[in-house]
Amino acid sequence: HNKRRNLQIKCESGLRKYNIPYMITLIDDNDVWIHDHKNTRYLSLGLLSSPLPVMMGNMTYTKADDKEHISSIVNVGESVAKYEDAMFTRLRGTGFESNVFPEGKCFVINSYVGNSMMFGDIIAEYPFVCKFYYDGHQYVYTLYSDVESGIDVEKICSSLDGGGHAHAAGFKLNKNIFE
């Protein structure tokens, strides 16, 4: 949780400590992928589903403590999450296990939508997981690993001329490595 400490430090001035608005706390929670708060995902999905002005400028800051405003965004996000969860469940049903990577077996889903959340609990059952799709020119691969797995997917992806982060990284190839 060291990343969250940065937000707290920025909100402190000398001996005076400022209260961090709830909306800003949720945005920070989402940005560092901690998800300690139940409404983090819902707020994120709600903001992404709202008209652009809701996310920009003073509106976010002036209404950052407006519980009714936050609640309306969270409600939209909950609806989107229900749809997303149903879609992810269907996608997991199309997935398969593969041993193409020397680092070990992984679970694979062929889909251009989604992120690590699409794998649900499956991500804990494998050292890492992979999402891939064909973009019309190349195959795009994204690997995810759970922190507890000890697998640094950025190392795997950089060996294939890709890159990213320790637990989320990607690469592109002209071939489907799963055929």
Side-chain angles (χ1 to χ4, degrees):
H1 300 308
N2 291 339
K3 291 181 183 179
R4 174 159 299 123
R5 303 294 170 244
N6 292 335
L7 177 66
Q8 291 172 344
I9 290 167
K10 289 175 187 171
C11 292
E12 293 178 13
S13 174
L15 298 175
R16 188 170 167 194
K17 192 171 186 176
Y18 297 95
N19 289 327
I20 301 170
Y22 182 57
M23 181 182 275
I24 304 303
T25 299
L26 293 178
I27 291 169
D28 178 57
D29 196 46
N30 184 67
D31 284 348
V32 296
W33 283 85
I34 294 174
H35 297 148
D36 281 341
H37 301 276
K38 175 185 133 191
N39 289 331
T40 296
R41 179 177 176 218
Y42 301 145
L43 180 77
S44 176
L45 290 171
L47 285 171
L48 290 171
S49 303
S50 298
L52 194 56
V54 171
M55 297 189 303
M56 297 184 67
N58 290 336
M59 185 170 275
T60 297
Y61 297 108
T62 58
K63 295 188 175 190
D65 274 333
D66 181 341
K67 290 186 184 350
E68 188 175 315
H69 177 68
I70 295 169
S71 180
S72 68
I73 295 170
V74 166
N75 288 340
V76 168
E78 281 183 286
S79 297
V80 173
K82 286 178 187 173
Y83 168 79
E84 193 177 67
D85 289 343
M87 178 182 63
F88 289 166
T89 297
R90 286 191 301 277
L91 286 170
R92 282 192 297 274
T94 67
F96 57 93
E97 192 174 284
S98 174
N99 289 305
V100 300
F101 296 101
E103 290 77 7
K105 67 180 180 176
C106 67
F107 188 79
V108 181
I109 296 176
N110 182 356
S111 175
Y112 71 95
V113 298
N115 54 30
S116 63
M117 294 178 75
M118 72 189 295
F119 291 95
D121 293 337
I122 290 174
I123 199 165
E125 298 173 25
Y126 290 85
F128 60 101
V129 293
C130 176
K131 173 185 87 124
F132 81 104
Y133 64 94
Y134 184 70
D135 72 0
H137 304 286
Q138 290 183 302
Y139 288 90
V140 179
Y141 301 87
T142 307
L143 305 183
Y144 304 101
S145 64
D146 197 318
V147 174
E148 285 80 33
S149 75
I151 297 288
D152 183 342
V153 295
E154 194 280 330
K155 288 182 181 176
I156 298 170
C157 294
S158 65
S159 73
L160 296 162
D161 293 327
H165 304 279
H167 302 290
F171 61 94
K172 294 180 181 183
L173 294 176
N174 290 325
K175 65 179 184 172
N176 180 347
I177 61 174
F178 300 112
E179 288 186 329

